[in-house]
Amino acid sequence: MPNGGDLNGDGRAELVIVGEMMPVKIFTYNGKDFEDKTADYFAGEESGFWNAVKIEDLDGDGKPDLLAGNLGLNSQIKASEKEPAELYFADFDKNGSIDPFFNFYVQGKSYPFVSRDELNDQIYPMRKKFSFYRDYANATMPDVIPAAELAKAGKLEARELRSVCFMNRDGKFEKVAMPARAQFGPVCEILAEDYNGDGRKDLLLLGNKTSNRLKLGSMDANYGSLFIGDGKGGFRFVGQADSGLSVNGDVKSAVEIRIGNQPFLVIGAFNEPLQFYKNYKK
């Protein structure tokens, strides 16, 4: 998911790219091609399950900040700096096709997320190694794939699950987590507008993912999360009873338009009719 804006005040727009199991990346166009300038803005890699990114001045200091929508904290998946969620990929059974293994840590040990049946369908020789469910129940990643093979495999990581703001502090981005109510579900679309008419930017976070496999389950606790900004980078959650929002489905896009002289929010969700909300406070 790309976005662009002038992050360093040189009059040229930078390109910001985010995606699942990758770090936030920032590129500058030098007139011929794009140069990776991520290290100029971040102290380290900021990897996550990023679904959306928005460039906006959140604290009124005249410098652009970043908002990044992530998976949230309301799922089985766990990740941290010390214990990231990982995706190993290689042709482990030498049959000409790539075998991906997603895993994350539980009580200090890395376990594969794939079930025994899924494993045996993907890599047939594993049927002999894990003939019974009890054999696989406590198997860690090195038990499934030897550590030497994992070391040679491709690897992606996600160390952050929260939706966050990256505040611009003199050209370097400092990560600030969004409030807890922003972490109830995946954030796939971000709007920054003045929704209550006080002259300050507010945030509307939209998302959900319901097409997951049964083992992971639906992530559908985001009915449209409105946060009122204080103009200094702080945000206060507004409940549905006050915001009037009850957004259905896996939101993929949203835009504010005017019909006549009235502002409307138009929301597009997968396999759902367009949803319209009128803002009476503008």
Side-chain angles (χ1 to χ4, degrees):
M1 179 67 66
N3 206 327
D6 184 5
L7 300 180
N8 57 11
D10 65 355
R12 296 185 299 179
E14 277 68 48
L15 176 65
V16 183
I17 298 178
V18 300
E20 291 186 336
M21 300 204 78
M22 68 168 282
V24 179
K25 304 290 285 185
I26 298 177
F27 295 87
T28 295
Y29 187 65
N30 61 17
K32 293 183 179 180
D33 51 25
F34 285 96
E35 296 182 65
D36 187 347
K37 295 293 185 179
T38 307
D40 292 349
Y41 295 91
F42 295 99
E45 284 197 348
E46 294 290 351
S47 58
F49 288 85
W50 309 115
N51 303 304
V53 64
K54 182 80 171 178
I55 300 174
E56 197 71 43
D57 180 9
L58 300 176
D59 53 6
D61 64 355
K63 294 179 288 189
D65 308 301
L66 302 181
L67 297 97
N70 210 343
L71 186 70
L73 300 177
N74 193 15
S75 79
Q76 300 175 46
I77 299 172
K78 306 301 177 187
S80 67
E81 280 294 327
K82 293 184 178 180
E83 297 182 344
E86 300 165 321
L87 179 68
Y88 289 98
F89 56 96
D91 183 8
F92 292 111
D93 56 357
K94 311 301 181 188
N95 69 346
S97 63
I98 296 297
D99 305 304
F101 275 90
F102 178 64
N103 59 282
F104 55 87
Y105 285 80
V106 178
Q107 296 182 346
K109 294 182 179 180
S110 177
Y111 292 92
F113 187 70
V114 65
S115 70
R116 172 187 170 274
D117 292 340
E118 292 168 328
L119 172 67
N120 289 343
D121 287 343
Q122 180 71 21
I123 303 179
Y124 194 83
M126 289 292 179
R127 295 171 184 266
K128 293 182 179 180
K129 188 172 185 178
F130 299 105
S131 300
F132 300 96
Y133 289 99
R134 65 173 178 267
D135 299 330
Y136 187 68
N138 295 313
T140 62
M141 271 305 300
D143 294 330
V144 178
I145 304 294
E149 291 189 45
L150 290 176
K152 294 184 291 184
K155 182 181 177 182
L156 302 176
E157 292 184 341
R159 298 176 180 271
E160 179 63 82
L161 299 180
R162 300 170 298 177
S163 292
V164 302
C165 301
F166 292 104
M167 306 304 294
N168 192 330
R169 309 299 190 202
D170 298 321
K172 294 285 187 179
F173 286 117
E174 177 184 307
K175 182 168 63 178
V176 179
M178 288 290 293
R181 292 300 293 259
Q183 316 303 341
F184 280 19
V187 173
C188 303
E189 179 66 293
I190 302 170
L191 295 182
E193 303 284 349
D194 177 15
Y195 289 109
N196 63 350
D198 66 355
R200 301 165 181 165
K201 284 292 176 72
D202 309 309
L203 300 179
L204 179 58
L205 309 183
L206 303 156
N208 293 328
K209 288 189 177 182
T210 60
S211 59
N212 303 316
R213 297 181 73 95
L214 182 62
K215 183 178 180 180
L216 187 57
S218 292
M219 301 177 184
D220 56 359
N222 186 346
Y223 292 93
S225 300
L226 177 63
F227 294 85
I228 298 300
D230 61 8
K232 301 177 182 179
F235 294 92
R236 172 180 58 84
F237 175 71
V238 178
Q240 285 180 262
D242 294 319
S243 71
L245 294 169
S246 184
V247 180
N248 297 315
D250 297 6
V251 174
K252 304 299 182 183
S253 61
V255 65
E256 187 172 284
I257 64 172
R258 300 192 79 84
I259 301 177
N261 198 34
Q262 299 295 323
F264 284 83
L265 176 66
V266 185
I267 299 171
F270 177 72
N271 208 29
E272 295 278 351
L274 285 176
Q275 300 169 65
F276 287 77
Y277 287 88
K278 183 178 179 181
N279 188 347
Y280 287 96
K281 294 188 178 181
K282 276 197 172 182

